[in-house]
Amino acid sequence: MARSARTPRQGRPVALVTGASSGIGAATARRFTEGGWQLLLSGRDPDRLARTAAGTSAVLLPADLADRGGPRLLARSALDAAGRIDLLVAGAGIGWAGPFVTMPRDAIDGVLAVDLAATLHLVREVLPAMVAAGRGRVVLVGSVAGCVGVREEAVYSAAKAGVAAFAEALRQELRGTGVGVTLVVPGPVATEFFARRGTPYRRSRPRPISPGTVADTVWEAVARERDEAYVPGWLTLPGRVRGIAPGLYRRLLHRFG
């Protein structure tokens, strides 16, 4: 049974995982539970959170991070529940696909609010306690779309590119504090993400990977204190080609992107 938000076990490292109702967040929560961590799980669906936490001592903190006060409320609830946060895995996200000229204003605002703004606000609320403790790690879940720019996913690509730039800038600011920043960059993942955005994944390449594979990568990246981790590893290639041969990069992108 999941525990209440008041009495988590003491002595174990504490991880706050957002987007834990399903997909990458849920898989990451299970992986860190197996590794002996105390989990604080957040998502918008309490019933799904309960299923993720079944059989564990995880603390459930339902929250809508798109709400103006959502990130602050979640951070305060998490710190109140556990007394500290050793790891934040910011995995909450939504998508939208289609021509940018047809994208409704509310959809633009929604993607930017959840995928970028809410992430920044939550990190801002959690970070002071980590810095004061002199330890901790922030894991930001990006996307290959933020590296290459995917057609008909313009705003999602922009939001994830913003997350990547934020990770790099924040990493530099936190040097010497004992707090690290990891950017995890997955390709397409076999979750409900595509169904929820209303457009299925239709590309033949790259093939979707399992959320468990991403969770294992997050686990390894935290254990090894890595700055970046791509899933699968060959996703580093587009960025390299872009830097070395931008003309070739764009030709390939027009054909396959």
Side-chain angles (χ1 to χ4, degrees):
M1 296 291 292
R3 297 161 67 102
S4 72
R6 291 289 173 184
T7 57
R9 297 179 185 176
Q10 301 299 316
R12 295 185 290 165
V14 178
L16 170 60
V17 180
T18 69
S21 302
S22 62
I24 294 173
T28 299
R30 287 190 287 268
R31 181 65 184 86
F32 276 80
T33 297
E34 292 169 1
W37 286 59
Q38 173 63 46
L39 271 293
L40 310 175
L41 305 183
S42 183
R44 290 186 293 181
D45 189 325
D47 292 335
R48 283 175 170 264
L49 279 181
R51 288 197 288 273
T52 299
T56 77
S57 61
V59 175
L60 307 186
L61 301 172
D64 187 347
L65 295 178
D67 288 346
R68 182 176 179 83
R72 174 171 291 186
L73 179 61
L74 174 58
R76 289 180 176 179
S77 298
L79 289 168
D80 180 60
R84 71 181 195 276
I85 299 171
D86 301 300
L87 172 68
L88 168 64
V89 180
I94 61 174
W96 192 93
F100 178 66
V101 295
T102 69
M103 190 173 185
R105 181 186 181 91
D106 288 349
I108 294 173
D109 292 345
V111 170
L112 291 176
V114 175
D115 294 354
L116 182 59
T119 297
L120 271 59
H121 286 301
L122 181 59
V123 173
R124 174 63 183 85
E125 296 295 335
V126 169
L127 204 55
M130 288 186 176
V131 172
R135 67 178 185 275
R137 181 159 292 271
V138 173
V139 174
L140 303 174
V141 179
S143 169
V144 66
C147 300
V148 302
V150 177
R151 63 174 173 249
E152 298 196 350
E153 295 182 33
V155 177
Y156 180 74
S157 296
K160 290 302 185 178
V163 169
F166 172 65
E168 186 61 52
L170 186 62
R171 190 179 299 121
Q172 298 305 315
E173 287 191 28
L174 293 175
R175 289 180 63 186
T177 66
V179 181
V181 179
T182 299
L183 176 68
V184 175
V185 183
V189 184
T191 68
E192 297 175 5
F193 174 86
F194 299 106
R196 288 176 179 169
R197 75 178 187 180
T199 305
Y201 182 76
R202 297 189 177 96
R203 295 182 177 88
S204 59
R205 294 289 188 276
R207 293 180 179 177
I209 57 177
S210 72
T213 299
V214 181
D216 288 341
T217 300
V218 173
W219 171 264
E220 183 179 353
V222 171
R224 299 189 179 187
E225 299 182 345
R226 289 182 173 173
D227 291 341
E228 292 183 338
Y230 289 75
V231 202
W234 65 263
L235 288 180
T236 60
L237 291 176
R240 295 178 184 178
V241 174
R242 183 177 188 177
I244 296 171
L248 173 61
Y249 165 81
R250 288 188 174 84
R251 288 196 297 272
L252 293 172
L253 192 62
H254 292 331
R255 182 175 179 182
F256 299 107

